[in-house]
Amino acid sequence: MTRAWAVDASCLGNPGPMEYRGVDLDTGKVIFHFGPIKGTNNIGEFLAIVHAMALMEQRGIKGYTIYSDSVNAQLWVKKQKCKTTLKPSDDTKQALELVARAEKWLKTHSFRPEVLKWNTKEWGEIPADFGRK
């Protein structure tokens, strides 16, 4: 048993319609999916990691690893700050509100499952990938 989730995001354009999801590596089932909303791929990757953490905490899931293929998102989670350059507008309001909510969650919750880099070169595309490359 792997005891891990994989997360990934997709964005058509940058910014553009962005969505993200999490997949259980044991079953291949989608655990959560959000979007699309206007955002960036990096924001989606960041939100996917935090969404997975919050869901694991909420469900009492311990001892699981989260895999992400985004070094930026992993760094942002570690620093508890999404370093996006997305400009505020009516179209991006929802994404930026979610970023603020995720940053607040990181600052107010100590639950931290291990977040590891998915090794795409060795393992192939991350199972949460949307297949739009």
PDB file of all heavy atoms in Angstrom, residues 50 53-54 56-58 61-62 77-78 80 102-115:
ATOM      1  N   VAL A  50      -2.415  22.436  -0.451  1.00  0.00           N
ATOM      2  CA  VAL A  50      -3.087  22.858   0.785  1.00  0.00           C
ATOM      3  C   VAL A  50      -4.447  22.180   0.916  1.00  0.00           C
ATOM      4  O   VAL A  50      -4.832  21.757   2.009  1.00  0.00           O
ATOM      5  CB  VAL A  50      -3.210  24.398   0.859  1.00  0.00           C
ATOM      6  CG1 VAL A  50      -3.935  24.819   2.133  1.00  0.00           C
ATOM      7  CG2 VAL A  50      -1.828  25.052   0.795  1.00  0.00           C
ATOM      8  N   MET A  53      -3.832  18.732   2.218  1.00  0.00           N
ATOM      9  CA  MET A  53      -3.489  18.774   3.650  1.00  0.00           C
ATOM     10  C   MET A  53      -4.734  18.982   4.509  1.00  0.00           C
ATOM     11  O   MET A  53      -4.940  18.270   5.501  1.00  0.00           O
ATOM     12  CB  MET A  53      -2.510  19.930   3.924  1.00  0.00           C
ATOM     13  CG  MET A  53      -1.132  19.720   3.424  1.00  0.00           C
ATOM     14  SD  MET A  53      -0.148  21.209   3.779  1.00  0.00           S
ATOM     15  CE  MET A  53       1.484  20.531   3.668  1.00  0.00           C
ATOM     16  N   ALA A  54      -5.549  19.964   4.126  1.00  0.00           N
ATOM     17  CA  ALA A  54      -6.741  20.280   4.915  1.00  0.00           C
ATOM     18  C   ALA A  54      -7.723  19.105   4.923  1.00  0.00           C
ATOM     19  O   ALA A  54      -8.321  18.794   5.960  1.00  0.00           O
ATOM     20  CB  ALA A  54      -7.409  21.539   4.367  1.00  0.00           C
ATOM     21  N   MET A  56      -6.979  15.892   4.489  1.00  0.00           N
ATOM     22  CA  MET A  56      -6.407  14.828   5.327  1.00  0.00           C
ATOM     23  C   MET A  56      -6.632  15.123   6.798  1.00  0.00           C
ATOM     24  O   MET A  56      -7.020  14.239   7.564  1.00  0.00           O
ATOM     25  CB  MET A  56      -4.903  14.672   5.048  1.00  0.00           C
ATOM     26  CG  MET A  56      -4.581  13.983   3.768  1.00  0.00           C
ATOM     27  SD  MET A  56      -2.775  13.907   3.562  1.00  0.00           S
ATOM     28  CE  MET A  56      -2.669  12.985   2.032  1.00  0.00           C
ATOM     29  N   GLU A  57      -6.404  16.372   7.199  1.00  0.00           N
ATOM     30  CA  GLU A  57      -6.611  16.734   8.602  1.00  0.00           C
ATOM     31  C   GLU A  57      -8.077  16.563   8.981  1.00  0.00           C
ATOM     32  O   GLU A  57      -8.401  15.963  10.006  1.00  0.00           O
ATOM     33  CB  GLU A  57      -6.172  18.161   8.862  1.00  0.00           C
ATOM     34  CG  GLU A  57      -6.338  18.544  10.334  1.00  0.00           C
ATOM     35  CD  GLU A  57      -6.033  20.003  10.611  1.00  0.00           C
ATOM     36  OE1 GLU A  57      -6.606  20.875   9.940  1.00  0.00           O
ATOM     37  OE2 GLU A  57      -5.228  20.243  11.521  1.00  0.00           O
ATOM     38  N   GLN A  58      -8.963  17.062   8.128  1.00  0.00           N
ATOM     39  CA  GLN A  58     -10.403  16.998   8.394  1.00  0.00           C
ATOM     40  C   GLN A  58     -10.875  15.542   8.533  1.00  0.00           C
ATOM     41  O   GLN A  58     -11.718  15.236   9.370  1.00  0.00           O
ATOM     42  CB  GLN A  58     -11.146  17.694   7.261  1.00  0.00           C
ATOM     43  CG  GLN A  58     -12.643  17.756   7.433  1.00  0.00           C
ATOM     44  CD  GLN A  58     -13.306  18.402   6.224  1.00  0.00           C
ATOM     45  OE1 GLN A  58     -13.101  17.988   5.088  1.00  0.00           O
ATOM     46  NE2 GLN A  58     -14.101  19.429   6.480  1.00  0.00           N
ATOM     47  N   ILE A  61      -6.785  11.588   8.459  1.00  0.00           N
ATOM     48  CA  ILE A  61      -5.871  10.725   7.706  1.00  0.00           C
ATOM     49  C   ILE A  61      -4.442  11.093   8.075  1.00  0.00           C
ATOM     50  O   ILE A  61      -3.985  12.210   7.817  1.00  0.00           O
ATOM     51  CB  ILE A  61      -6.095  10.882   6.183  1.00  0.00           C
ATOM     52  CG1 ILE A  61      -7.505  10.429   5.824  1.00  0.00           C
ATOM     53  CG2 ILE A  61      -5.045  10.113   5.400  1.00  0.00           C
ATOM     54  CD1 ILE A  61      -7.909  10.736   4.391  1.00  0.00           C
ATOM     55  N   LYS A  62      -3.730  10.146   8.681  1.00  0.00           N
ATOM     56  CA  LYS A  62      -2.350  10.386   9.105  1.00  0.00           C
ATOM     57  C   LYS A  62      -1.430   9.367   8.440  1.00  0.00           C
ATOM     58  O   LYS A  62      -1.864   8.282   8.063  1.00  0.00           O
ATOM     59  CB  LYS A  62      -2.243  10.287  10.621  1.00  0.00           C
ATOM     60  CG  LYS A  62      -3.028  11.371  11.315  1.00  0.00           C
ATOM     61  CD  LYS A  62      -2.899  11.310  12.805  1.00  0.00           C
ATOM     62  CE  LYS A  62      -3.679  12.460  13.389  1.00  0.00           C
ATOM     63  NZ  LYS A  62      -4.161  12.266  14.684  1.00  0.00           N
ATOM     64  N   VAL A  77       4.271  26.454   0.000  1.00  0.00           N
ATOM     65  CA  VAL A  77       3.615  25.816   1.146  1.00  0.00           C
ATOM     66  C   VAL A  77       4.548  25.851   2.352  1.00  0.00           C
ATOM     67  O   VAL A  77       4.135  26.190   3.464  1.00  0.00           O
ATOM     68  CB  VAL A  77       3.179  24.374   0.801  1.00  0.00           C
ATOM     69  CG1 VAL A  77       2.806  23.602   2.056  1.00  0.00           C
ATOM     70  CG2 VAL A  77       2.017  24.393  -0.192  1.00  0.00           C
ATOM     71  N   LYS A  78       5.809  25.519   2.123  1.00  0.00           N
ATOM     72  CA  LYS A  78       6.785  25.516   3.217  1.00  0.00           C
ATOM     73  C   LYS A  78       6.904  26.911   3.844  1.00  0.00           C
ATOM     74  O   LYS A  78       6.998  27.047   5.057  1.00  0.00           O
ATOM     75  CB  LYS A  78       8.137  25.052   2.689  1.00  0.00           C
ATOM     76  CG  LYS A  78       9.166  24.812   3.743  1.00  0.00           C
ATOM     77  CD  LYS A  78      10.431  24.229   3.144  1.00  0.00           C
ATOM     78  CE  LYS A  78      11.420  23.898   4.221  1.00  0.00           C
ATOM     79  NZ  LYS A  78      12.630  23.292   3.696  1.00  0.00           N
ATOM     80  N   GLN A  80       4.584  29.187   3.659  1.00  0.00           N
ATOM     81  CA  GLN A  80       3.226  29.618   4.000  1.00  0.00           C
ATOM     82  C   GLN A  80       2.836  30.898   3.268  1.00  0.00           C
ATOM     83  O   GLN A  80       2.036  31.690   3.762  1.00  0.00           O
ATOM     84  CB  GLN A  80       3.067  29.792   5.513  1.00  0.00           C
ATOM     85  CG  GLN A  80       3.363  28.541   6.299  1.00  0.00           C
ATOM     86  CD  GLN A  80       3.257  28.741   7.787  1.00  0.00           C
ATOM     87  OE1 GLN A  80       2.894  29.794   8.289  1.00  0.00           O
ATOM     88  NE2 GLN A  80       3.580  27.707   8.527  1.00  0.00           N
ATOM     89  N   ALA A 102      -5.934  29.785   1.899  1.00  0.00           N
ATOM     90  CA  ALA A 102      -4.945  28.712   2.039  1.00  0.00           C
ATOM     91  C   ALA A 102      -3.759  29.162   2.889  1.00  0.00           C
ATOM     92  O   ALA A 102      -3.282  28.408   3.749  1.00  0.00           O
ATOM     93  CB  ALA A 102      -4.469  28.258   0.656  1.00  0.00           C
ATOM     94  N   GLU A 103      -3.311  30.392   2.665  1.00  0.00           N
ATOM     95  CA  GLU A 103      -2.207  30.920   3.481  1.00  0.00           C
ATOM     96  C   GLU A 103      -2.618  30.996   4.951  1.00  0.00           C
ATOM     97  O   GLU A 103      -1.836  30.636   5.841  1.00  0.00           O
ATOM     98  CB  GLU A 103      -1.796  32.309   2.982  1.00  0.00           C
ATOM     99  CG  GLU A 103      -1.095  32.292   1.646  1.00  0.00           C
ATOM    100  CD  GLU A 103      -0.849  33.677   1.072  1.00  0.00           C
ATOM    101  OE1 GLU A 103      -1.493  34.658   1.522  1.00  0.00           O
ATOM    102  OE2 GLU A 103      -0.013  33.784   0.158  1.00  0.00           O
ATOM    103  N   LYS A 104      -3.833  31.423   5.199  1.00  0.00           N
ATOM    104  CA  LYS A 104      -4.329  31.497   6.580  1.00  0.00           C
ATOM    105  C   LYS A 104      -4.387  30.096   7.188  1.00  0.00           C
ATOM    106  O   LYS A 104      -4.009  29.902   8.347  1.00  0.00           O
ATOM    107  CB  LYS A 104      -5.709  32.156   6.615  1.00  0.00           C
ATOM    108  CG  LYS A 104      -6.269  32.287   8.011  1.00  0.00           C
ATOM    109  CD  LYS A 104      -7.623  32.978   8.028  1.00  0.00           C
ATOM    110  CE  LYS A 104      -8.133  33.069   9.461  1.00  0.00           C
ATOM    111  NZ  LYS A 104      -9.455  33.661   9.536  1.00  0.00           N
ATOM    112  N   TRP A 105      -4.861  29.116   6.414  1.00  0.00           N
ATOM    113  CA  TRP A 105      -4.930  27.743   6.920  1.00  0.00           C
ATOM    114  C   TRP A 105      -3.537  27.268   7.315  1.00  0.00           C
ATOM    115  O   TRP A 105      -3.352  26.684   8.383  1.00  0.00           O
ATOM    116  CB  TRP A 105      -5.547  26.805   5.871  1.00  0.00           C
ATOM    117  CG  TRP A 105      -5.792  25.438   6.427  1.00  0.00           C
ATOM    118  CD1 TRP A 105      -6.933  24.985   7.009  1.00  0.00           C
ATOM    119  CD2 TRP A 105      -4.859  24.347   6.489  1.00  0.00           C
ATOM    120  NE1 TRP A 105      -6.763  23.679   7.438  1.00  0.00           N
ATOM    121  CE2 TRP A 105      -5.501  23.273   7.120  1.00  0.00           C
ATOM    122  CE3 TRP A 105      -3.542  24.182   6.073  1.00  0.00           C
ATOM    123  CZ2 TRP A 105      -4.877  22.043   7.347  1.00  0.00           C
ATOM    124  CZ3 TRP A 105      -2.908  22.965   6.302  1.00  0.00           C
ATOM    125  CH2 TRP A 105      -3.581  21.913   6.933  1.00  0.00           C
ATOM    126  N   LEU A 106      -2.556  27.519   6.453  1.00  0.00           N
ATOM    127  CA  LEU A 106      -1.184  27.083   6.743  1.00  0.00           C
ATOM    128  C   LEU A 106      -0.658  27.717   8.030  1.00  0.00           C
ATOM    129  O   LEU A 106       0.071  27.074   8.791  1.00  0.00           O
ATOM    130  CB  LEU A 106      -0.255  27.421   5.574  1.00  0.00           C
ATOM    131  CG  LEU A 106      -0.444  26.574   4.315  1.00  0.00           C
ATOM    132  CD1 LEU A 106       0.298  27.193   3.139  1.00  0.00           C
ATOM    133  CD2 LEU A 106      -0.012  25.132   4.549  1.00  0.00           C
ATOM    134  N   LYS A 107      -1.028  28.965   8.269  1.00  0.00           N
ATOM    135  CA  LYS A 107      -0.539  29.682   9.455  1.00  0.00           C
ATOM    136  C   LYS A 107      -1.269  29.294  10.729  1.00  0.00           C
ATOM    137  O   LYS A 107      -0.758  29.517  11.826  1.00  0.00           O
ATOM    138  CB  LYS A 107      -0.620  31.188   9.224  1.00  0.00           C
ATOM    139  CG  LYS A 107       0.396  31.658   8.203  1.00  0.00           C
ATOM    140  CD  LYS A 107       0.252  33.127   7.889  1.00  0.00           C
ATOM    141  CE  LYS A 107       1.316  33.518   6.884  1.00  0.00           C
ATOM    142  NZ  LYS A 107       0.854  34.398   5.852  1.00  0.00           N
ATOM    143  N   THR A 108      -2.457  28.724  10.604  1.00  0.00           N
ATOM    144  CA  THR A 108      -3.268  28.424  11.791  1.00  0.00           C
ATOM    145  C   THR A 108      -3.421  26.925  12.066  1.00  0.00           C
ATOM    146  O   THR A 108      -4.088  26.550  13.026  1.00  0.00           O
ATOM    147  CB  THR A 108      -4.671  29.053  11.666  1.00  0.00           C
ATOM    148  OG1 THR A 108      -5.303  28.561  10.476  1.00  0.00           O
ATOM    149  CG2 THR A 108      -4.586  30.573  11.615  1.00  0.00           C
ATOM    150  N   HIS A 109      -2.823  26.077  11.239  1.00  0.00           N
ATOM    151  CA  HIS A 109      -2.886  24.624  11.429  1.00  0.00           C
ATOM    152  C   HIS A 109      -1.474  24.050  11.412  1.00  0.00           C
ATOM    153  O   HIS A 109      -0.672  24.403  10.546  1.00  0.00           O
ATOM    154  CB  HIS A 109      -3.720  23.961  10.334  1.00  0.00           C
ATOM    155  CG  HIS A 109      -5.169  24.295  10.406  1.00  0.00           C
ATOM    156  ND1 HIS A 109      -5.686  25.499   9.990  1.00  0.00           N
ATOM    157  CD2 HIS A 109      -6.220  23.584  10.870  1.00  0.00           C
ATOM    158  CE1 HIS A 109      -6.989  25.514  10.194  1.00  0.00           C
ATOM    159  NE2 HIS A 109      -7.344  24.377  10.727  1.00  0.00           N
ATOM    160  N   SER A 110      -1.193  23.169  12.334  1.00  0.00           N
ATOM    161  CA  SER A 110       0.141  22.571  12.406  1.00  0.00           C
ATOM    162  C   SER A 110       0.232  21.238  11.659  1.00  0.00           C
ATOM    163  O   SER A 110       1.319  20.690  11.517  1.00  0.00           O
ATOM    164  CB  SER A 110       0.545  22.370  13.870  1.00  0.00           C
ATOM    165  OG  SER A 110      -0.392  21.515  14.510  1.00  0.00           O
ATOM    166  N   PHE A 111      -0.896  20.721  11.175  1.00  0.00           N
ATOM    167  CA  PHE A 111      -0.911  19.441  10.469  1.00  0.00           C
ATOM    168  C   PHE A 111      -0.067  19.559   9.201  1.00  0.00           C
ATOM    169  O   PHE A 111      -0.345  20.387   8.344  1.00  0.00           O
ATOM    170  CB  PHE A 111      -2.355  19.054  10.119  1.00  0.00           C
ATOM    171  CG  PHE A 111      -2.481  17.717   9.457  1.00  0.00           C
ATOM    172  CD1 PHE A 111      -2.408  16.548  10.189  1.00  0.00           C
ATOM    173  CD2 PHE A 111      -2.678  17.628   8.081  1.00  0.00           C
ATOM    174  CE1 PHE A 111      -2.533  15.311   9.580  1.00  0.00           C
ATOM    175  CE2 PHE A 111      -2.798  16.399   7.460  1.00  0.00           C
ATOM    176  CZ  PHE A 111      -2.728  15.241   8.213  1.00  0.00           C
ATOM    177  N   ARG A 112       0.983  18.737   9.090  1.00  0.00           N
ATOM    178  CA  ARG A 112       1.872  18.804   7.938  1.00  0.00           C
ATOM    179  C   ARG A 112       2.282  17.409   7.478  1.00  0.00           C
ATOM    180  O   ARG A 112       3.315  16.892   7.891  1.00  0.00           O
ATOM    181  CB  ARG A 112       3.145  19.599   8.249  1.00  0.00           C
ATOM    182  CG  ARG A 112       2.967  21.084   8.446  1.00  0.00           C
ATOM    183  CD  ARG A 112       2.567  21.795   7.162  1.00  0.00           C
ATOM    184  NE  ARG A 112       2.500  23.216   7.337  1.00  0.00           N
ATOM    185  CZ  ARG A 112       1.465  23.873   7.833  1.00  0.00           C
ATOM    186  NH1 ARG A 112       0.393  23.230   8.243  1.00  0.00           N
ATOM    187  NH2 ARG A 112       1.482  25.174   7.944  1.00  0.00           N
ATOM    188  N   PRO A 113       1.488  16.815   6.596  1.00  0.00           N
ATOM    189  CA  PRO A 113       1.954  15.556   6.012  1.00  0.00           C
ATOM    190  C   PRO A 113       3.178  15.846   5.142  1.00  0.00           C
ATOM    191  O   PRO A 113       3.401  16.983   4.707  1.00  0.00           O
ATOM    192  CB  PRO A 113       0.770  15.097   5.163  1.00  0.00           C
ATOM    193  CG  PRO A 113      -0.061  16.301   4.945  1.00  0.00           C
ATOM    194  CD  PRO A 113       0.222  17.242   6.074  1.00  0.00           C
ATOM    195  N   GLU A 114       3.971  14.836   4.917  1.00  0.00           N
ATOM    196  CA  GLU A 114       5.150  15.003   4.072  1.00  0.00           C
ATOM    197  C   GLU A 114       4.717  15.327   2.645  1.00  0.00           C
ATOM    198  O   GLU A 114       3.813  14.701   2.100  1.00  0.00           O
ATOM    199  CB  GLU A 114       5.971  13.708   4.098  1.00  0.00           C
ATOM    200  CG  GLU A 114       7.315  13.837   3.439  1.00  0.00           C
ATOM    201  CD  GLU A 114       8.187  12.608   3.646  1.00  0.00           C
ATOM    202  OE1 GLU A 114       7.636  11.496   3.773  1.00  0.00           O
ATOM    203  OE2 GLU A 114       9.414  12.773   3.667  1.00  0.00           O
ATOM    204  N   VAL A 115       5.351  16.329   2.054  1.00  0.00           N
ATOM    205  CA  VAL A 115       5.087  16.704   0.666  1.00  0.00           C
ATOM    206  C   VAL A 115       6.375  16.467  -0.111  1.00  0.00           C
ATOM    207  O   VAL A 115       7.401  17.075   0.186  1.00  0.00           O
ATOM    208  CB  VAL A 115       4.650  18.181   0.530  1.00  0.00           C
ATOM    209  CG1 VAL A 115       4.394  18.524  -0.931  1.00  0.00           C
ATOM    210  CG2 VAL A 115       3.409  18.458   1.370  1.00  0.00           C
TER     211      VAL A 115
END
